[in-house]
Amino acid sequence: MSLWEKGKEFSDNSEHRLDSESQDLILDQNLDEALRNFKLSVDAWSETAYSTRRVAPSIPHRNWRPAAAWALGCALVASSVSGSVYQRHERQLEAKQAAAKLAAQQKQAADLKAADEEDLLASVDSEVSRQVPSAMEPLAQMAEDESK
Amino acid sequence: MAAGSILETMNKATAAEIAADEFARVVAQHRPQIFRFLLASTRDVDLAETLTQECFLKAHRNWSSFRGDSSAMTWLMRIAINLQKDHWRNRRMRFWRSTQTHAVDLDEASEWLPSGATSAEQQMLAKEQVRHVWKAMEGLSERQRSVFLLRYIEERELSEIAEITGLSQGTVKAHLSRAVGRVRTELGRRQ
């Protein structure tokens, strides 16, 4: 077989193959209808999805919820922490005030006690000092007589 | 000299404005189609939206290098297909691939039908057909699926599909033939 004949045979076979492929593409009625319905279905879905997203996008709604939940959670945590800190501060303040009051009372009691002791000592002193000079009176008399 | 530089700056600003307007027009015109193609490819509304945004972001970055050799739609579709390919390639690296997918199942995808269908029986039949086409699509390779969708959803010519996918027309034809064959087989099982 010559090179030309081989080439022609190849070309004929290629044409034949392409023809059979082309024949495959000739759609029967059922297939044609199915493909038409498929296109209509995709068009309807796409148009709805596209217009829904363009007019009223659903993503921001979805994103809004976790953000709000986070904000609410943070607010709750912050309020509970600040509440407990405030309570602790109040308790510390009350304890300080009670301690100061107790200290003042104790000081007052101590002052009173000290004042009582001083009074007692003063009265003892005065009584003792009145007795001592009378015991020394004869000596003082003698001194006066000698000077005369 | 100074007047010349001012004029040049003004020209540049005007050119930038024109390019921005042109790009905005392209976005408005082709965005729904790109979204539809990606939605049909992934069956995932969130993913389709993300990939569409990425597609236009990439297009915007490279808008100045777009020479208009092909149509803007062809160029955008090529970007979308590459993004989708990258996405699946990256996903294959993750174990939780199956758990993270938001793709709707076949039944849900087949629920979408235009309200034009007349009787309840016809609607049932149409839904059944659509479900079989989705099912057949699951068995297609990525390339076959893209070619199939470009032909039957985007209604592109074979030459255009070849340009978008970077394949020869013969290869496009072969992919399409296999894809249609699979759909036919799937529909045959129904009968």
Side-chain angles (χ1 to χ4, degrees), chain A residues 2 129 135:
Chain A
S2 70
S129 62

Side-chain angles (χ1 to χ4, degrees), chain A residues 119-134:
Chain A
D119 286 347
L120 183 67
L121 281 172
S123 65
V124 169
D125 280 348
S126 64
E127 279 170 23
V128 170
S129 62
R130 227 179 280 150
Q131 284 171 358
V132 171
S134 58

